[in-house]
Structure formats: structure tokens, C-alpha cells
Amino acid sequence: MRKKPKIAVIGAGASGCFAALQIYDELQGLCDIQIFEKSKEPLSKLKISGGGRCNVTHNLFDPELLSMRYPRGNKELRWAFESFSPSDTITWFQKRGVTLKAEADGRMFPTTDSSETIINCFLDELKSKKIPIHFEQGLVGIYPNQIPDVNLNQKNGFRVLWEGGFEENFGTVVIATGSNRKVWSILEKLGHKIITPVPSLFTLTLENTDLVELTGLVVPNSEIKILPKGKPQSGPMLITHWGLSGPCALRLSAWEARTLFEADYKVDLSVNWIGGEKTQNVEEIYLSKKEKTPGDKLVPDPLWKLPNRFWEWILNESKIQPNKRYSDISKSEIRNLCLILTQTKLRMVAKGVFKEEFVTAGGVSRKDIQFQTMESKKTPGLFFTGEVIDVDGVTGGFNFQNAWTTATIAARGIRKTIVI
């Protein structure tokens, strides 16, 4: 009688644990799955996500729109999200007694607002399926076997070596180690191309500017780009004591991750504090008000929803005294005001840290992976999930959704390679 197929999942993070559970279900439990983790605890990123509340996914259900939230991997994930989407994530957790809720910005959290709810869900599932996690197991190497092992009931399989000299044979190996340079080095020896990793999702540290005196203010509809010809990113902008954060700044850091890295995070930025409004259009609005209502005080358009203190900063930058009426303002002052509103020039001098979350742009080349199965094109029997691949999303639950989706596709891909 043949033994159960042996499957090693390297990494006990979100994608690794989810992959193990999905593989178990796909193979109806007729397999020996083991998870190996280099640290002393599992699911560490889940624990700190969303300020400890765990931003599980995003309630963006259209695969086309969803894939556009990934600076790297959007083309590959476009199809993948047809296979396992945020709605499937919601259903998966719901079946296990975990209800998710969507906030105004689309981020989804457990209704308990606690990451422990998600972590316990995973650990309980792993325990009920008797899937062990072996901690403090640092990977040393993965070596494809040259001779088939009929007992593995799979392809030739692999000899997996751990720190301390321990080794074991597995028919299938799933790499779910996230951003791990040592593992990437091991994969390079197997013939995989590694796209040099650079940081993504970070805040923008600015050169000396009195803007930082407005720490804590949010400008709700901003647009930012790298000068001279960067692609603009939009969303709420949070002013911090070191510079800029919030969705708008973080999206820029993700989409321009490699550009910013190559510039050593020293670039000129242009910020439009009122979204996509053109300078000329705004100028025409103010000139019209100057002509038609000269006795009115100079105020921002209510649709812009600019905080009062921020408007005072705009006026100060424009060298316009507060409470001035349109009749007292020259056309050149109006022009300067509109330029500050729509084209504020700032200098970025360093990258900051986005809470404790860390995402990289880079990893195993997407060209080396068959995204219909997540199996390696270079090494049959080797599968990839999550951030070990050159795939990353903007903030908002998108990186976890990538973990759930690629883990599920890997599980289905593994099912196709194994005859029970």
C-alpha cells in the first residue's frame, strides 16, 4: 500500500497556513502535510496587520478593478481573482464562524476588531486537521531527487535540508516564506530568477517644511507624483511630523517603489491638494468670483473639504492674508494661490516606516511561475504562494488577498499532480 503524499509547506505565515488548509481540503485529507517555520511563532504579520485588527481583505469584488491595485502582478492576478476572490475569502471565514465587516474605505476586518480572531481560526483549523507546524526550522536547501520514490505517490520529489543537519523527503514543496533573501538564494540555485527586492509601502520623509506643523491633519482628496513625469496617485493624504503618509503617499511608494529606490529616496514631488483639479480651471473659478462677488471673503470650495488649519497654511504659502476679500486680491495672488493648491513642490529626502508592516517589490520572477497552478516552470513539484513572488499590492487588505488567492490556486494545482 502506498503512503500518503508528503507535502512540505515552508513558512507559517498567512499564505503558508492557508495553503496547507486548502491542500488538505483539495486532497480530502488523504495527505501528510507539514508546515516548517524559521521563527518561534506563526502568523506574525496577521497579528500586527491593521493596527492589531487584521485587515483580511478588501470589498472590491470586480477582478479587473481589484487587479489594478497591484503595482506588480496585476496581469497575472486578473485571472487568478476569477478563481478565488474577496467574496470567496469572506465565505471561507464565514463557514468557520468568523464574520467580516467592511469599513468606509473598503478595508475588511473581523467584526471583533481583533487579529486574534483570525489567528485562532487558522490555528484551530490546523489542529482539527492534524497539520503540524515545526518551529525554529531554518531552511538550508531543497534538492530535487533524481530517482522517483514510488512511496511518495508523486513526482521524483525533493530532499529538504534544515539547519542542524535534519533532512526529509517530500513529494511536493510549497514556498510561502514571504520576503526572505536566504530562501531566494536557495531558489536561485534551482534556476529561478529573483527580481531584486526593494521596499514598498512606506511613508515619505520631507525636507524641512512647515507643513509638518499640521501633523495629524488629513487632506481628503489629494494627488501626488514624482517630478518631472511620474504617474500621479490619489487618495487621502495624512500629514505627519516627518512628512506624508495615508493612502495617497503609500500608493506612490508602492507604484514608484523601484524608481524611489534607484533615486535613494531623494526626489522632487508635486502635490495637488484638491485631487485632479487643473490649475487653469481653479484660477478661472476664482477670477470669476472676483468679478461677480468682489465683497465675498476668499474661501476654498466646500467640495474640497479642506481642514481650516490647512487652508490657513495654503494662504500663508500663497502670501495672502487671512480674511481678505476678492476685491483686495490681485490676479497674480490668485494665480499663486492656485499653483499652491494644485502644484505644491516638496522635496522627499528619505523613506519612513508604515507602522510595522513591511512589503517588498521583488521576489521570484513571475515568468518562472505557471499562474494557473502556481507551480514552478523550472522545478516541477515546487509551488509558490504570497509575497515570495514578485507580486505586491497597495495598502488596504490587497496583499493578504494575494496570499489567499495564490495559496488556493497552488492547492488546486497540487491536486492535479497527485493521484490519490
Side-chain angles (χ1 to χ4, degrees):
M1 181 185 232
R2 285 183 174 181
K3 295 179 181 179
K4 289 182 179 181
K6 290 185 65 177
I7 300 165
V9 177
I10 315 298
S15 68
C17 289
F18 199 72
L21 294 172
Q22 295 291 68
I23 293 166
Y24 183 96
D25 289 345
E26 288 291 334
L27 297 179
Q28 301 173 16
L30 301 175
C31 52
D32 174 8
I33 306 172
Q34 298 181 57
I35 303 174
F36 297 86
E37 169 59 39
K38 67 173 182 176
S39 69
K40 296 181 179 180
E41 64 175 333
L43 302 163
S44 57
K45 211 164 190 179
L46 278 175
K47 188 174 184 179
I48 63 175
S49 166
R53 296 194 298 140
C54 195
N55 183 187
V56 180
T57 186
H58 197 283
N59 72 342
L60 186 55
F61 302 122
D62 183 295
E64 182 74 31
L65 296 176
L66 182 60
S67 66
M68 291 170 64
R69 299 303 192 271
Y70 295 81
R72 285 146 292 272
N74 47 74
K75 291 180 181 178
E76 292 83 359
L77 291 177
R78 170 64 184 83
W79 173 87
F81 290 138
E82 296 278 3
S83 183
F84 194 87
S85 69
S87 61
D88 295 310
T89 299
I90 295 167
T91 300
W92 190 91
F93 281 104
Q94 196 169 41
K95 286 181 177 179
R96 290 156 181 81
V98 177
T99 305
L100 304 181
K101 62 175 181 178
E103 299 198 340
D105 59 4
R107 293 181 302 161
M108 298 198 73
F109 298 86
T111 53
T112 59
D113 280 328
S114 172
S115 59
E116 292 299 321
T117 300
I118 304 299
I119 292 171
N120 290 337
C121 173
F122 278 121
L123 295 181
D124 289 346
E125 283 287 301
L126 291 170
K127 184 177 180 180
S128 69
K129 290 174 168 56
K130 297 181 180 179
I131 300 174
I133 302 177
H134 305 289
F135 295 105
E136 298 184 86
Q137 295 292 318
L139 184 66
V140 172
I142 300 172
Y143 307 96
N145 291 325
Q146 302 303 314
I147 301 174
D149 183 341
V150 294
N151 289 323
L152 290 174
N153 196 21
Q154 293 157 284
K155 296 179 181 178
N156 293 10
F158 304 89
R159 181 169 62 91
V160 183
L161 181 64
W162 313 97
E163 292 174 357
F166 170 69
E167 65 177 67
E168 190 172 355
N169 281 341
F170 291 92
T172 300
V173 175
V174 179
I175 305 295
T177 49
S179 304
N180 188 308
R181 292 178 185 272
K182 184 175 181 179
V183 173
W184 281 327
S185 177
I186 291 170
L187 295 173
E188 278 187 309
K189 293 176 183 176
L190 291 171
H192 293 92
K193 180 180 179 181
I194 305 300
I195 306 301
T196 304
V198 299
S200 179
L201 287 187
F202 48 81
T203 60
L204 316 179
T205 300
L206 301 178
E207 199 170 57
N208 290 339
T209 169
D210 58 5
L211 179 65
V212 298
E213 295 175 9
L214 303 178
T215 295
L217 284 187
V218 175
V219 183
N221 183 27
S222 302
E223 191 175 86
I224 188 171
K225 66 178 181 180
I226 296 175
L227 292 172
K229 296 181 179 180
K231 182 180 179 182
Q233 302 300 326
S234 60
M237 186 84 81
L238 171 65
I239 299 170
T240 71
H241 66 269
W242 62 86
L244 301 174
S245 185
C248 189
L250 294 170
R251 284 167 187 159
L252 182 82
S253 76
W255 285 96
E256 301 282 11
R258 206 159 290 281
T259 300
L260 289 167
F261 175 79
E262 291 169 356
D264 194 28
Y265 306 100
K266 295 175 176 60
V267 295
D268 291 319
L269 304 170
S270 178
V271 181
N272 186 327
W273 301 105
I274 50 179
E277 292 282 358
K278 303 295 184 184
T279 306
Q280 185 177 345
N281 293 342
V282 179
E283 187 175 0
E284 288 173 357
I285 290 171
Y286 276 118
L287 288 174
S288 176
K289 289 185 176 182
K290 176 177 173 61
E291 180 181 343
K292 295 177 180 178
T293 57
D296 288 355
K297 288 183 179 180
L298 180 66
V299 295
D301 190 309
L303 294 177
W304 301 340
K305 298 180 180 178
L306 299 178
N308 291 334
R309 284 177 60 214
F310 183 76
W311 178 245
E312 291 172 4
W313 181 83
I314 290 288
L315 292 177
N316 184 62
E317 287 293 298
S318 307
K319 296 180 172 53
I320 297 174
Q321 293 297 319
N323 300 316
K324 263 197 171 185
R325 301 186 187 277
Y326 286 103
S327 59
D328 301 323
I329 302 171
S330 68
K331 290 183 179 181
S332 62
E333 285 179 315
I334 288 177
R335 173 66 177 171
N336 196 39
L337 169 68
C338 296
L339 284 170
I340 298 296
L341 277 170
T342 60
Q343 300 181 46
T344 294
K345 303 297 188 294
L346 297 168
R347 178 70 177 172
M348 177 181 176
V349 293
K351 71 177 179 66
V353 178
F354 177 49
K355 300 182 180 177
E356 296 174 284
E357 301 178 39
F358 183 70
V359 175
T360 57
V364 179
S365 172
R366 299 187 300 276
K367 293 180 180 179
D368 288 355
I369 300 169
Q370 175 56 258
F371 269 76
Q372 281 74 20
T373 61
M374 303 311 299
E375 187 173 16
S376 165
K377 294 179 181 179
K378 305 285 186 180
T379 313
L382 191 66
F383 292 78
F384 302 99
T385 72
E387 291 178 33
V388 72
I389 310 166
D390 181 29
V391 171
D392 61 286
V394 299
T395 182
F398 299 105
N399 286 297
F400 278 138
Q401 185 57 51
N402 169 49
W404 317 139
T405 295
T406 53
T408 300
I409 293 173
R412 294 171 184 171
I414 290 168
R415 181 192 61 196
K416 294 175 183 177
T417 68
I418 297 174
V419 179
I420 301 299

